[in-house]
Amino acid sequence: MSKYRYEDAVKQLQESGAIGLVDLKSLPHDDLVELLEEIKVWCLYAGGKTEKLPKESKKKKKKKD
């Protein structure tokens, strides 16, 4: 079974508009911190539109470069 990651959480938020505390608890700490920061930005600047939530982790993009 694969681990629940940032990308999975974003997909769940886009599909249902919600994420459960159990799902948040199962995220690795780095992914959780990044997701919560993205949610703050998303709520402030994107008006809560789920399609504007970044689908990929910015930290993982930096590591690829």
Side-chain angles (χ1 to χ4, degrees):
M1 187 171 138
S2 64
K3 290 185 175 183
Y4 191 72
R5 306 294 297 186
Y6 174 88
E7 292 80 10
D8 301 321
V10 169
K11 184 177 179 182
Q12 182 179 355
L13 277 171
Q14 289 175 330
E15 290 174 356
S16 68
I19 188 167
L21 291 175
V22 173
D23 293 326
L24 288 176
K25 184 179 176 185
S26 65
L27 278 171
H29 183 264
D30 291 342
D31 285 356
L32 177 61
V33 170
E34 183 178 10
L35 179 66
L36 294 175
E37 289 300 318
E38 288 298 331
I39 289 172
K40 282 194 261 183
V41 170
W42 171 63
C43 288
L44 284 173
Y45 300 110
K49 295 179 183 173
T50 56
E51 64 273 0
K52 294 194 177 191
L53 191 63
K55 292 178 178 71
E56 288 188 6
S57 169
K58 289 180 183 175
K59 290 181 183 178
K60 289 180 183 168
K61 280 185 179 179
K62 288 179 184 177
K63 288 180 184 177
K64 289 179 184 178
D65 295 342

